[in-house]
Amino acid sequence: MIELTAAQVAAATGGRLHADPDVTVTGAVIIDSRQAAPGALFVALPGERVDGHDFAARAVSAGATLVLAARELDGLPTVVVDDPQEALGELARHVLATVREGGDGWPKVVGVTGSVGKTTTKDLLGQLLTPEVSGEDAIIVPTGSFNNEIGLPLTVLRVTPATRYLVAEMGADRIGNIAYLTRIAPPDVGVVLAVGVAHVGHFGSVEAIAKTKAEMVSGVVEGGSVVLNADDLRVAAMAGQVAPGTTLRTFGTIPSADVRAEDISVDATGRASFTLRVAQTADDGEQRADVALQLVGPHHVTNALAAATVALRLGVPVPDVAQRLTEATARSPHRMAVTERPDGVTVIDDAYNANPDSMKAALRTLAVMAGRTRRSVAVLGEMRELGEGARAAHDEIGRLVVRLNIKQLVVVGDGAYHIHEGAMQEGSWGSETIFVPDLPAARSLLDESLEPGDVVLVKSSLGSGLWELGDHLSMAQTNKDNNK
Protein backbone atom coordinates (compact mmCIF):
# COMPACT_ATOMS: atom_id res chain seq x y z
CA MET A 1 0.00 0.00 0.00
CA ILE A 2 1.05 3.61 -0.39
CA GLU A 3 2.39 5.18 2.79
CA LEU A 4 -0.26 6.89 4.92
CA THR A 5 -0.05 8.62 8.27
CA ALA A 6 -2.49 7.78 11.01
CA ALA A 7 -4.10 11.16 10.44
CA GLN A 8 -4.62 10.36 6.77
CA VAL A 9 -6.12 6.96 7.62
CA ALA A 10 -8.51 8.64 10.03
CA ALA A 11 -9.51 11.22 7.41
CA ALA A 12 -10.08 8.57 4.74
CA THR A 13 -12.24 6.41 6.99
CA GLY A 14 -14.02 9.10 8.99
CA GLY A 15 -12.43 7.67 12.13
CA ARG A 16 -11.38 9.12 15.47
CA LEU A 17 -7.67 9.19 16.03
CA HIS A 18 -6.21 7.63 19.17
CA ALA A 19 -2.59 7.63 18.07
CA ASP A 20 0.24 9.95 17.12
CA PRO A 21 -1.09 11.54 13.90
CA ASP A 22 2.34 11.20 12.30
CA VAL A 23 2.63 7.46 12.85
CA THR A 24 3.01 6.06 9.35
CA VAL A 25 1.73 2.88 7.76
CA THR A 26 4.48 1.65 5.45
CA GLY A 27 3.50 -2.00 5.06
CA ALA A 28 0.52 -4.13 4.13
CA VAL A 29 -3.06 -3.89 5.36
CA ILE A 30 -3.91 -7.15 7.14
CA ILE A 31 -6.83 -8.77 8.97
CA ASP A 32 -4.85 -11.71 10.38
CA SER A 33 -2.46 -10.86 13.21
CA ARG A 34 -0.22 -13.76 12.17
CA GLN A 35 0.63 -11.79 9.02
CA ALA A 36 1.75 -8.73 10.95
CA ALA A 37 5.10 -7.24 9.98
CA PRO A 38 6.79 -3.88 10.59
CA GLY A 39 4.72 -1.00 9.24
CA ALA A 40 1.47 -2.93 8.81
CA LEU A 41 -2.06 -1.69 9.40
CA PHE A 42 -4.16 -4.25 11.29
CA VAL A 43 -7.92 -4.13 10.73
CA ALA A 44 -9.79 -5.62 13.68
CA LEU A 45 -12.80 -7.32 12.13
CA PRO A 46 -15.42 -8.94 14.35
CA GLY A 47 -16.14 -12.52 13.24
CA GLU A 48 -18.55 -15.32 13.97
CA ARG A 49 -15.97 -17.28 15.95
CA VAL A 50 -13.25 -14.78 16.87
CA ASP A 51 -13.02 -11.02 17.31
CA GLY A 52 -10.09 -9.30 15.65
CA HIS A 53 -9.90 -6.82 18.51
CA ASP A 54 -8.62 -9.64 20.72
CA PHE A 55 -5.58 -10.01 18.47
CA ALA A 56 -4.70 -6.35 17.97
CA ALA A 57 -2.02 -6.33 20.68
CA ARG A 58 -0.37 -9.34 19.07
CA ALA A 59 -0.33 -7.56 15.69
CA VAL A 60 1.24 -4.44 17.20
CA SER A 61 3.87 -6.44 19.06
CA ALA A 62 4.79 -8.04 15.73
CA GLY A 63 5.35 -4.62 14.16
CA ALA A 64 1.98 -3.23 13.07
CA THR A 65 2.08 0.55 13.50
CA LEU A 66 -1.67 1.20 13.51
CA VAL A 67 -4.97 -0.55 14.23
CA LEU A 68 -8.33 0.17 12.60
CA ALA A 69 -10.94 -0.82 15.19
CA ALA A 70 -14.48 -0.32 16.45
CA ARG A 71 -13.35 0.75 19.92
CA GLU A 72 -10.40 2.20 21.77
CA LEU A 73 -7.70 -0.30 22.64
CA ASP A 74 -5.62 0.50 25.69
CA GLY A 75 -2.07 1.41 24.81
CA LEU A 76 -2.46 0.65 21.11
CA PRO A 77 -2.27 3.24 18.29
CA THR A 78 -5.81 3.10 16.94
CA VAL A 79 -8.20 4.75 14.50
CA VAL A 80 -11.70 4.13 15.87
CA VAL A 81 -14.54 3.74 13.36
CA ASP A 82 -18.17 2.69 13.59
CA ASP A 83 -17.68 -0.33 11.28
CA PRO A 84 -14.16 -1.63 10.54
CA GLN A 85 -15.33 -3.53 7.46
CA GLU A 86 -16.92 -0.45 5.90
CA ALA A 87 -13.87 1.57 6.88
CA LEU A 88 -11.66 -0.98 5.13
CA GLY A 89 -13.65 -0.37 1.95
CA GLU A 90 -13.43 3.40 2.33
CA LEU A 91 -9.68 3.20 2.84
CA ALA A 92 -9.31 1.09 -0.30
CA ARG A 93 -11.45 3.52 -2.30
CA HIS A 94 -9.32 6.43 -1.07
CA VAL A 95 -6.02 4.73 -1.87
CA LEU A 96 -7.04 3.76 -5.39
CA ALA A 97 -8.46 7.22 -6.13
CA THR A 98 -5.28 8.84 -4.80
CA VAL A 99 -3.00 6.65 -6.92
CA ARG A 100 -5.14 7.18 -10.02
CA GLU A 101 -5.19 10.93 -9.52
CA GLY A 102 -1.41 11.03 -9.30
CA GLY A 103 -0.92 8.52 -12.12
CA ASP A 104 -3.01 10.13 -14.86
CA GLY A 105 -5.72 7.48 -14.56
CA TRP A 106 -3.45 4.50 -13.92
CA PRO A 107 -3.84 1.78 -12.83
CA LYS A 108 -6.53 0.52 -15.13
CA VAL A 109 -9.04 -1.64 -13.28
CA VAL A 110 -10.66 -4.73 -14.78
CA GLY A 111 -13.72 -5.91 -12.87
CA VAL A 112 -14.95 -9.47 -13.42
CA THR A 113 -18.28 -10.85 -12.21
CA GLY A 114 -20.56 -13.76 -13.06
CA SER A 115 -22.20 -16.79 -11.49
CA VAL A 116 -19.42 -19.04 -12.78
CA GLY A 117 -15.91 -18.58 -14.15
CA LYS A 118 -14.77 -15.47 -12.27
CA THR A 119 -11.63 -16.90 -10.73
CA THR A 120 -10.45 -18.68 -13.88
CA THR A 121 -11.07 -15.59 -16.01
CA LYS A 122 -9.21 -13.47 -13.47
CA ASP A 123 -6.27 -15.89 -13.54
CA LEU A 124 -6.21 -15.91 -17.34
CA LEU A 125 -6.24 -12.12 -17.44
CA GLY A 126 -3.22 -12.05 -15.19
CA GLN A 127 -1.34 -14.25 -17.64
CA LEU A 128 -2.48 -12.23 -20.67
CA LEU A 129 -1.57 -8.85 -19.20
CA THR A 130 1.59 -9.58 -17.20
CA PRO A 131 3.90 -9.59 -20.27
CA GLU A 132 2.65 -6.06 -21.06
CA VAL A 133 4.22 -4.58 -17.92
CA SER A 134 7.39 -4.88 -15.91
CA GLY A 135 8.45 -4.23 -12.35
CA GLU A 136 7.16 -5.08 -8.90
CA ASP A 137 3.48 -4.30 -8.28
CA ALA A 138 2.96 -3.51 -11.99
CA ILE A 139 -0.01 -5.86 -12.12
CA ILE A 140 -2.11 -6.98 -9.19
CA VAL A 141 -4.18 -10.15 -9.47
CA PRO A 142 -5.64 -11.62 -6.27
CA THR A 143 -4.79 -15.17 -5.30
CA GLY A 144 -7.81 -17.43 -4.96
CA SER A 145 -11.20 -15.73 -4.65
CA PHE A 146 -10.72 -12.42 -2.88
CA ASN A 147 -14.00 -11.18 -4.30
CA ASN A 148 -16.18 -9.94 -1.44
CA GLU A 149 -16.51 -6.88 0.81
CA ILE A 150 -13.31 -7.87 2.60
CA GLY A 151 -11.23 -9.58 -0.07
CA LEU A 152 -11.64 -6.91 -2.74
CA PRO A 153 -10.53 -3.98 -0.53
CA LEU A 154 -7.51 -5.98 0.63
CA THR A 155 -6.60 -6.53 -3.02
CA VAL A 156 -7.10 -2.87 -3.92
CA LEU A 157 -4.91 -1.78 -1.00
CA ARG A 158 -1.94 -3.50 -2.63
CA VAL A 159 -1.93 -0.77 -5.29
CA THR A 160 1.13 1.48 -5.57
CA PRO A 161 2.11 4.22 -8.07
CA ALA A 162 3.92 1.47 -10.02
CA THR A 163 0.69 -0.47 -10.65
CA ARG A 164 -0.56 -0.46 -14.23
CA TYR A 165 -3.33 -3.06 -14.04
CA LEU A 166 -5.56 -4.20 -11.20
CA VAL A 167 -7.68 -7.27 -11.95
CA ALA A 168 -10.56 -7.36 -9.48
CA GLU A 169 -12.86 -10.34 -9.05
CA MET A 170 -16.27 -9.18 -7.80
CA GLY A 171 -18.69 -11.66 -6.27
CA ALA A 172 -22.16 -11.20 -4.85
CA ASP A 173 -24.71 -12.97 -2.71
CA ARG A 174 -27.14 -10.06 -2.38
CA ILE A 175 -28.49 -7.21 -4.46
CA GLY A 176 -26.19 -4.21 -4.17
CA ASN A 177 -22.96 -6.17 -3.62
CA ILE A 178 -21.50 -5.44 -7.06
CA ALA A 179 -22.53 -1.79 -6.88
CA TYR A 180 -20.71 -1.51 -3.56
CA LEU A 181 -17.55 -3.15 -4.90
CA THR A 182 -17.49 -1.01 -8.05
CA ARG A 183 -17.70 2.12 -5.90
CA ILE A 184 -14.50 0.99 -4.19
CA ALA A 185 -12.76 0.05 -7.45
CA PRO A 186 -14.56 1.59 -10.46
CA PRO A 187 -13.65 -0.60 -13.45
CA ASP A 188 -12.22 0.77 -16.67
CA VAL A 189 -13.33 -2.55 -18.15
CA GLY A 190 -16.26 -4.41 -16.60
CA VAL A 191 -16.92 -8.06 -17.51
CA VAL A 192 -20.11 -10.07 -16.95
CA LEU A 193 -19.62 -13.78 -17.60
CA ALA A 194 -22.89 -15.52 -16.82
CA VAL A 195 -26.10 -15.42 -14.83
CA GLY A 196 -26.81 -18.72 -13.06
CA VAL A 197 -28.40 -19.89 -9.86
CA ALA A 198 -25.39 -19.61 -7.55
CA HIS A 199 -26.52 -18.02 -4.24
CA VAL A 200 -30.14 -18.03 -5.41
CA GLY A 201 -31.06 -18.88 -1.82
CA HIS A 202 -29.93 -15.39 -0.84
CA PHE A 203 -31.24 -13.58 -3.92
CA GLY A 204 -34.62 -15.26 -4.14
CA SER A 205 -34.71 -15.49 -7.93
CA VAL A 206 -32.53 -15.67 -11.03
CA GLU A 207 -33.94 -12.30 -12.05
CA ALA A 208 -32.51 -10.77 -8.89
CA ILE A 209 -29.14 -12.36 -9.68
CA ALA A 210 -29.24 -10.82 -13.18
CA LYS A 211 -30.07 -7.43 -11.70
CA THR A 212 -27.11 -7.68 -9.37
CA LYS A 213 -24.65 -8.76 -12.06
CA ALA A 214 -25.86 -5.82 -14.18
CA GLU A 215 -24.57 -3.49 -11.48
CA MET A 216 -21.18 -4.09 -13.10
CA VAL A 217 -22.42 -2.37 -16.27
CA SER A 218 -23.44 0.79 -14.44
CA GLY A 219 -20.30 0.73 -12.29
CA VAL A 220 -17.86 1.15 -15.18
CA VAL A 221 -16.09 4.52 -15.30
CA GLU A 222 -17.23 7.14 -17.79
CA GLY A 223 -15.77 6.31 -21.18
CA GLY A 224 -14.85 2.79 -20.12
CA SER A 225 -15.71 -0.56 -21.66
CA VAL A 226 -18.31 -3.23 -20.92
CA VAL A 227 -17.63 -6.83 -21.95
CA LEU A 228 -20.65 -9.15 -22.11
CA ASN A 229 -21.21 -12.85 -22.84
CA ALA A 230 -23.33 -12.96 -25.99
CA ASP A 231 -24.15 -16.66 -25.43
CA ASP A 232 -25.99 -15.93 -22.16
CA LEU A 233 -29.33 -14.30 -22.93
CA ARG A 234 -29.60 -12.60 -19.53
CA VAL A 235 -26.11 -11.17 -19.86
CA ALA A 236 -26.63 -10.14 -23.48
CA ALA A 237 -29.74 -8.21 -22.41
CA MET A 238 -27.52 -5.97 -20.28
CA ALA A 239 -26.33 -4.29 -23.47
CA GLY A 240 -29.41 -2.07 -23.18
CA GLN A 241 -28.02 -0.65 -19.92
CA VAL A 242 -24.65 0.43 -21.32
CA ALA A 243 -24.28 4.19 -20.92
CA PRO A 244 -23.64 6.49 -23.88
CA GLY A 245 -19.91 6.92 -24.42
CA THR A 246 -19.14 3.48 -22.99
CA THR A 247 -17.74 0.90 -25.40
CA LEU A 248 -19.56 -2.44 -25.63
CA ARG A 249 -17.73 -5.59 -26.69
CA THR A 250 -19.24 -9.08 -26.73
CA PHE A 251 -17.77 -12.57 -26.72
CA GLY A 252 -19.18 -16.03 -27.31
CA THR A 253 -19.76 -18.66 -29.93
CA ILE A 254 -22.66 -17.05 -31.82
CA PRO A 255 -21.83 -15.33 -35.13
CA SER A 256 -22.71 -11.86 -33.87
CA ALA A 257 -20.15 -11.89 -31.03
CA ASP A 258 -17.26 -9.46 -31.47
CA VAL A 259 -14.77 -12.03 -30.16
CA ARG A 260 -15.78 -15.62 -30.74
CA ALA A 261 -14.62 -19.20 -30.80
CA GLU A 262 -15.13 -21.31 -33.90
CA ASP A 263 -14.32 -24.93 -34.72
CA ILE A 264 -14.18 -25.96 -31.06
CA SER A 265 -12.82 -29.43 -30.40
CA VAL A 266 -12.11 -31.29 -27.17
CA ASP A 267 -9.43 -33.97 -26.86
CA ALA A 268 -9.38 -37.01 -24.62
CA THR A 269 -7.80 -35.03 -21.79
CA GLY A 270 -10.75 -32.63 -21.68
CA ARG A 271 -8.77 -29.73 -23.16
CA ALA A 272 -10.36 -27.55 -25.81
CA SER A 273 -8.92 -26.07 -28.99
CA PHE A 274 -10.58 -23.46 -31.15
CA THR A 275 -10.10 -20.70 -33.67
CA LEU A 276 -10.17 -17.26 -32.07
CA ARG A 277 -12.00 -14.93 -34.43
CA VAL A 278 -12.03 -11.18 -33.80
CA ALA A 279 -14.51 -9.06 -35.71
CA GLN A 280 -13.44 -6.13 -37.83
CA THR A 281 -13.05 -2.82 -36.00
CA ALA A 282 -12.51 0.74 -37.18
CA ASP A 283 -8.76 0.21 -36.94
CA ASP A 284 -8.33 -3.42 -37.99
CA GLY A 285 -9.87 -5.98 -40.30
CA GLU A 286 -11.12 -9.32 -39.06
CA GLN A 287 -8.38 -11.41 -37.45
CA ARG A 288 -8.03 -15.10 -36.58
CA ALA A 289 -5.64 -17.20 -34.53
CA ASP A 290 -5.54 -20.75 -33.19
CA VAL A 291 -5.81 -21.48 -29.46
CA ALA A 292 -5.18 -24.77 -27.64
CA LEU A 293 -6.07 -24.44 -23.97
CA GLN A 294 -4.19 -26.29 -21.26
CA LEU A 295 -7.11 -25.82 -18.88
CA VAL A 296 -9.25 -28.92 -18.40
CA GLY A 297 -12.90 -28.61 -19.40
CA PRO A 298 -14.56 -27.21 -22.54
CA HIS A 299 -16.43 -24.67 -20.39
CA HIS A 300 -13.14 -22.80 -20.10
CA VAL A 301 -13.59 -21.63 -23.68
CA THR A 302 -16.02 -19.03 -22.34
CA ASN A 303 -13.53 -17.85 -19.74
CA ALA A 304 -10.77 -17.68 -22.35
CA LEU A 305 -12.94 -15.61 -24.68
CA ALA A 306 -13.79 -13.18 -21.89
CA ALA A 307 -10.13 -12.73 -20.97
CA ALA A 308 -9.19 -12.36 -24.63
CA THR A 309 -11.79 -9.65 -25.17
CA VAL A 310 -10.45 -7.63 -22.24
CA ALA A 311 -6.83 -8.04 -23.31
CA LEU A 312 -7.66 -6.97 -26.87
CA ARG A 313 -9.49 -3.94 -25.52
CA LEU A 314 -6.38 -3.03 -23.52
CA GLY A 315 -4.20 -3.20 -26.61
CA VAL A 316 -2.74 -6.72 -26.64
CA PRO A 317 -2.42 -7.92 -30.29
CA VAL A 318 -4.46 -10.93 -31.42
CA PRO A 319 -1.44 -13.22 -32.05
CA ASP A 320 -0.11 -12.51 -28.55
CA VAL A 321 -3.51 -13.15 -26.98
CA ALA A 322 -3.77 -16.52 -28.72
CA GLN A 323 -0.24 -17.55 -27.79
CA ARG A 324 -0.66 -16.57 -24.14
CA LEU A 325 -4.00 -18.36 -23.88
CA THR A 326 -2.34 -21.47 -25.25
CA GLU A 327 0.43 -21.20 -22.67
CA ALA A 328 -1.85 -20.30 -19.74
CA THR A 329 -2.17 -22.70 -16.83
CA ALA A 330 -4.51 -23.10 -13.87
CA ARG A 331 -3.42 -20.78 -11.07
CA SER A 332 -5.97 -21.32 -8.29
CA PRO A 333 -6.26 -24.56 -6.30
CA HIS A 334 -9.20 -26.98 -6.38
CA ARG A 335 -10.45 -25.76 -9.76
CA MET A 336 -10.33 -28.55 -12.31
CA ALA A 337 -6.86 -29.41 -11.02
CA VAL A 338 -5.79 -32.69 -12.63
CA THR A 339 -3.38 -35.07 -10.91
CA GLU A 340 -2.07 -38.19 -12.64
CA ARG A 341 -1.22 -40.53 -9.81
CA PRO A 342 1.60 -43.08 -10.15
CA ASP A 343 -0.93 -45.90 -9.75
CA GLY A 344 -2.79 -44.80 -12.90
CA VAL A 345 -5.71 -43.02 -11.20
CA THR A 346 -6.54 -39.58 -12.57
CA VAL A 347 -7.95 -37.14 -9.99
CA ILE A 348 -9.92 -34.06 -11.08
CA ASP A 349 -10.16 -31.79 -8.04
CA ASP A 350 -12.85 -29.15 -8.62
CA ALA A 351 -13.97 -28.89 -5.02
CA TYR A 352 -13.51 -25.18 -4.42
CA ASN A 353 -17.08 -24.30 -5.30
CA ALA A 354 -20.18 -25.71 -6.94
CA ASN A 355 -23.51 -24.65 -8.38
CA PRO A 356 -25.72 -26.47 -10.88
CA ASP A 357 -24.01 -24.93 -13.91
CA SER A 358 -20.45 -25.66 -12.82
CA MET A 359 -21.45 -29.12 -11.60
CA LYS A 360 -22.88 -30.01 -15.00
CA ALA A 361 -19.79 -28.71 -16.79
CA ALA A 362 -17.46 -30.73 -14.55
CA LEU A 363 -19.48 -33.93 -15.01
CA ARG A 364 -19.43 -33.57 -18.78
CA THR A 365 -15.67 -33.10 -18.64
CA LEU A 366 -15.36 -36.27 -16.53
CA ALA A 367 -17.34 -38.20 -19.13
CA VAL A 368 -15.08 -36.93 -21.93
CA MET A 369 -11.86 -37.71 -20.07
CA ALA A 370 -12.93 -41.22 -19.13
CA GLY A 371 -14.29 -42.00 -22.58
CA ARG A 372 -15.27 -45.59 -23.23
CA THR A 373 -12.15 -47.28 -21.90
CA ARG A 374 -11.76 -45.89 -18.36
CA ARG A 375 -14.06 -46.02 -15.36
CA SER A 376 -15.55 -42.65 -14.44
CA VAL A 377 -16.14 -41.92 -10.75
CA ALA A 378 -18.03 -38.83 -9.56
CA VAL A 379 -17.62 -37.90 -5.89
CA LEU A 380 -20.13 -35.15 -5.23
CA GLY A 381 -21.05 -33.06 -2.21
CA GLU A 382 -23.62 -30.41 -1.45
CA MET A 383 -24.22 -27.33 -3.60
CA ARG A 384 -24.99 -24.65 -1.03
CA GLU A 385 -27.09 -21.46 -0.99
CA LEU A 386 -29.67 -22.71 -3.50
CA GLY A 387 -32.68 -21.93 -1.34
CA GLU A 388 -36.01 -23.61 -1.97
CA GLY A 389 -34.77 -25.09 -5.24
CA ALA A 390 -31.97 -27.05 -3.59
CA ARG A 391 -33.69 -30.42 -3.63
CA ALA A 392 -34.66 -30.17 -7.30
CA ALA A 393 -31.19 -28.94 -8.27
CA HIS A 394 -29.45 -31.84 -6.53
CA ASP A 395 -31.95 -34.32 -7.95
CA GLU A 396 -31.21 -32.99 -11.45
CA ILE A 397 -27.48 -33.53 -10.99
CA GLY A 398 -28.05 -37.14 -9.95
CA ARG A 399 -30.12 -37.76 -13.06
CA LEU A 400 -27.45 -36.17 -15.25
CA VAL A 401 -24.83 -38.52 -13.79
CA VAL A 402 -26.87 -41.46 -15.06
CA ARG A 403 -27.51 -39.91 -18.47
CA LEU A 404 -23.80 -39.26 -18.92
CA ASN A 405 -23.16 -42.93 -18.14
CA ILE A 406 -20.85 -42.13 -15.23
CA LYS A 407 -19.91 -45.56 -13.91
CA GLN A 408 -19.71 -44.80 -10.20
CA LEU A 409 -21.38 -42.08 -8.13
CA VAL A 410 -20.38 -41.42 -4.52
CA VAL A 411 -22.55 -38.83 -2.76
CA VAL A 412 -21.09 -37.36 0.42
CA GLY A 413 -23.13 -35.83 3.25
CA ASP A 414 -26.78 -35.31 4.06
CA GLY A 415 -26.92 -32.00 2.18
CA ALA A 416 -26.15 -33.80 -1.06
CA TYR A 417 -28.43 -36.79 -0.50
CA HIS A 418 -30.85 -35.83 -3.26
CA ILE A 419 -28.10 -36.33 -5.86
CA HIS A 420 -28.12 -39.99 -4.83
CA GLU A 421 -31.91 -39.99 -4.88
CA GLY A 422 -32.03 -38.46 -8.36
CA ALA A 423 -29.64 -41.07 -9.71
CA MET A 424 -31.77 -43.84 -8.22
CA GLN A 425 -34.93 -42.40 -9.75
CA GLU A 426 -33.26 -42.05 -13.16
CA GLY A 427 -32.48 -45.73 -13.25
CA SER A 428 -29.21 -46.26 -11.41
CA TRP A 429 -29.35 -49.02 -8.79
CA GLY A 430 -27.23 -51.34 -6.72
CA SER A 431 -23.68 -50.17 -6.21
CA GLU A 432 -23.64 -47.71 -9.12
CA THR A 433 -24.59 -44.94 -6.70
CA ILE A 434 -23.44 -44.94 -3.09
CA PHE A 435 -24.34 -42.51 -0.33
CA VAL A 436 -21.87 -41.97 2.51
CA PRO A 437 -22.50 -39.71 5.50
CA ASP A 438 -19.19 -37.87 5.78
CA LEU A 439 -15.64 -37.32 4.55
CA PRO A 440 -14.00 -40.14 6.56
CA ALA A 441 -16.44 -42.65 5.10
CA ALA A 442 -15.83 -41.34 1.60
CA ARG A 443 -12.08 -41.46 2.07
CA SER A 444 -12.18 -45.05 3.30
CA LEU A 445 -14.46 -46.15 0.47
CA LEU A 446 -12.36 -44.54 -2.26
CA ASP A 447 -9.03 -45.70 -0.87
CA GLU A 448 -10.32 -49.27 -1.05
CA SER A 449 -12.21 -49.11 -4.33
CA LEU A 450 -10.24 -46.89 -6.77
CA GLU A 451 -8.37 -48.88 -9.37
CA PRO A 452 -5.67 -48.11 -11.94
CA GLY A 453 -7.20 -46.33 -14.91
CA ASP A 454 -10.06 -44.71 -12.97
CA VAL A 455 -10.87 -41.05 -13.57
CA VAL A 456 -12.35 -39.53 -10.41
CA LEU A 457 -14.00 -36.10 -10.08
CA VAL A 458 -14.35 -34.46 -6.66
CA LYS A 459 -16.76 -31.52 -6.56
CA SER A 460 -18.86 -29.61 -4.02
CA SER A 461 -19.31 -26.19 -2.51
CA LEU A 462 -16.35 -25.10 -0.42
CA GLY A 463 -18.25 -25.32 2.85
CA SER A 464 -18.96 -28.99 2.25
CA GLY A 465 -15.26 -29.69 2.74
CA LEU A 466 -14.64 -32.04 -0.18
CA TRP A 467 -11.51 -30.04 -1.02
CA GLU A 468 -9.90 -32.01 1.80
CA LEU A 469 -10.85 -35.21 0.00
CA GLY A 470 -9.43 -33.76 -3.21
CA ASP A 471 -6.12 -33.13 -1.48
CA HIS A 472 -6.15 -36.62 0.01
CA LEU A 473 -6.87 -38.39 -3.26
CA SER A 474 -4.30 -36.35 -5.15
CA MET A 475 -1.63 -37.37 -2.63
CA ALA A 476 -2.92 -40.82 -1.71
CA GLN A 477 -0.59 -42.90 -3.84
CA THR A 478 2.43 -40.77 -2.95
CA ASN A 479 1.67 -41.14 0.76
CA LYS A 480 1.13 -44.88 0.33
CA ASP A 481 4.49 -45.24 -1.41
CA ASN A 482 6.25 -43.18 1.29
CA ASN A 483 4.83 -45.43 4.00
CA LYS A 484 6.13 -48.63 2.47
Side-chain angles (χ1 to χ4, degrees):
M1 188 181 78
I2 62 174
E3 292 189 4
L4 292 175
T5 65
Q8 290 172 321
V9 172
T13 60
R16 302 180 300 280
L17 187 60
H18 296 270
D20 180 343
D22 295 325
V23 165
T24 303
V25 176
T26 59
V29 178
I30 60 171
I31 60 173
D32 186 337
S33 62
R34 293 169 295 185
Q35 298 173 348
L41 168 62
F42 176 69
V43 183
L45 296 177
E48 294 180 1
R49 299 181 179 177
V50 296
D51 186 342
H53 295 79
D54 297 335
F55 299 89
R58 180 186 300 177
V60 172
S61 66
T65 56
L66 190 65
V67 178
L68 193 62
R71 61 177 183 267
E72 290 185 47
L73 299 169
D74 291 341
L76 301 182
T78 308
V79 171
V80 179
V81 295
D82 293 335
D83 186 328
Q85 180 176 305
E86 288 188 9
L88 176 65
E90 284 301 304
L91 183 62
R93 185 193 61 77
H94 169 77
V95 166
L96 179 59
T98 299
V99 173
R100 277 177 150 176
E101 184 178 352
D104 195 24
W106 296 89
K108 301 301 180 184
V109 176
V110 179
V112 181
T113 194
S115 297
V116 292
K118 295 185 296 296
T119 300
T120 299
T121 301
K122 172 262 299 180
D123 290 343
L124 288 172
L125 275 167
Q127 295 174 77
L128 292 181
L129 295 176
T130 294
E132 301 298 306
V133 297
S134 60
E136 188 176 0
D137 298 327
I139 181 169
I140 293 174
V141 182
T143 301
S145 294
F146 270 44
N147 62 16
N148 62 12
E149 298 92 333
I150 298 172
L152 179 118
L154 289 174
T155 299
V156 171
L157 285 165
R158 293 167 52 194
V159 165
T160 74
T163 305
R164 306 300 284 172
Y165 295 111
L166 167 64
V167 180
E169 181 180 339
M170 298 183 179
D173 58 15
R174 289 173 177 81
I175 291 176
N177 283 162
I178 302 298
Y180 173 74
L181 297 177
T182 58
R183 285 195 294 272
I184 295 172
D188 296 276
V189 183
V191 183
V192 184
L193 297 169
V195 173
V197 296
H199 306 298
V200 72
H202 289 304
F203 285 102
S205 68
V206 176
E207 289 72 25
I209 295 173
K211 180 179 179 180
T212 303
K213 301 305 181 186
E215 293 168 4
M216 176 67 77
V217 176
S218 57
V220 168
V221 300
E222 183 177 354
S225 300
V226 170
V227 173
L228 299 178
N229 182 358
D231 291 341
D232 186 309
L233 293 178
R234 291 187 177 90
V235 175
M238 297 175 193
Q241 302 178 46
V242 176
T246 299
T247 301
L248 171 64
R249 296 290 282 174
T250 60
F251 64 90
T253 58
I254 64 174
S256 61
D258 297 315
V259 178
R260 62 188 186 273
E262 294 185 339
D263 303 322
I264 300 171
S265 62
V266 182
D267 66 17
T269 68
R271 293 169 172 84
S273 299
F274 60 92
T275 298
L276 177 66
R277 186 168 176 175
V278 182
Q280 181 175 341
T281 65
D283 300 320
D284 299 296
E286 182 180 83
Q287 299 182 69
R288 300 187 184 196
D290 293 331
V291 175
L293 296 177
Q294 295 187 48
L295 304 180
V296 174
H299 55 287
H300 286 310
V301 171
T302 297
N303 304 325
L305 289 173
T309 307
V310 174
L312 292 166
R313 187 64 192 160
L314 294 174
V316 183
V318 172
D320 291 343
V321 168
Q323 179 181 348
R324 293 170 194 174
L325 282 177
T326 297
E327 296 172 350
T329 58
R331 293 294 175 89
S332 296
H334 305 291
R335 287 177 171 83
M336 298 302 288
V338 177
T339 299
E340 300 289 352
R341 293 189 349 190
D343 63 352
V345 173
T346 299
V347 179
I348 310 169
D349 179 1
D350 197 35
Y352 188 87
N353 212 342
N355 57 58
D357 293 329
S358 66
M359 189 75 85
K360 292 171 187 175
L363 287 168
R364 293 187 179 107
T365 300
L366 170 63
V368 169
M369 291 180 65
R372 297 182 178 181
T373 60
R374 304 180 69 181
R375 186 173 71 138
S376 50
V377 181
V379 185
L380 308 180
E382 182 183 5
M383 301 178 290
R384 296 191 168 188
E385 299 179 7
L386 295 180
E388 294 180 356
R391 177 170 183 169
H394 286 84
D395 179 275
E396 182 183 9
I397 294 301
R399 294 174 186 272
L400 179 63
V401 168
V402 178
R403 293 168 190 164
L404 290 173
N405 200 28
I406 304 299
K407 303 302 183 183
Q408 178 70 70
L409 171 62
V410 179
V411 178
V412 185
D414 291 340
Y417 178 79
H418 296 297
I419 297 177
H420 173 68
E421 185 178 62
M424 294 286 287
Q425 292 294 326
E426 187 66 19
S428 181
W429 59 87
S431 61
E432 292 173 333
T433 177
I434 300 173
F435 171 77
V436 293
D438 51 33
L439 287 173
R443 184 183 302 116
S444 177
L445 171 68
L446 292 165
D447 284 347
E448 293 177 2
S449 63
L450 289 179
E451 302 174 352
D454 287 351
V455 184
V456 54
L457 167 71
V458 183
K459 187 163 181 64
S460 72
S461 290
L462 184 64
S464 299
L466 262 67
W467 60 270
E468 296 181 21
L469 186 59
D471 284 343
H472 170 77
L473 292 176
S474 297
M475 296 296 294
Q477 183 63 29
T478 299
N479 292 337
K480 188 181 297 183
D481 291 343
N482 290 339
N483 291 330
K484 286 181 179 179

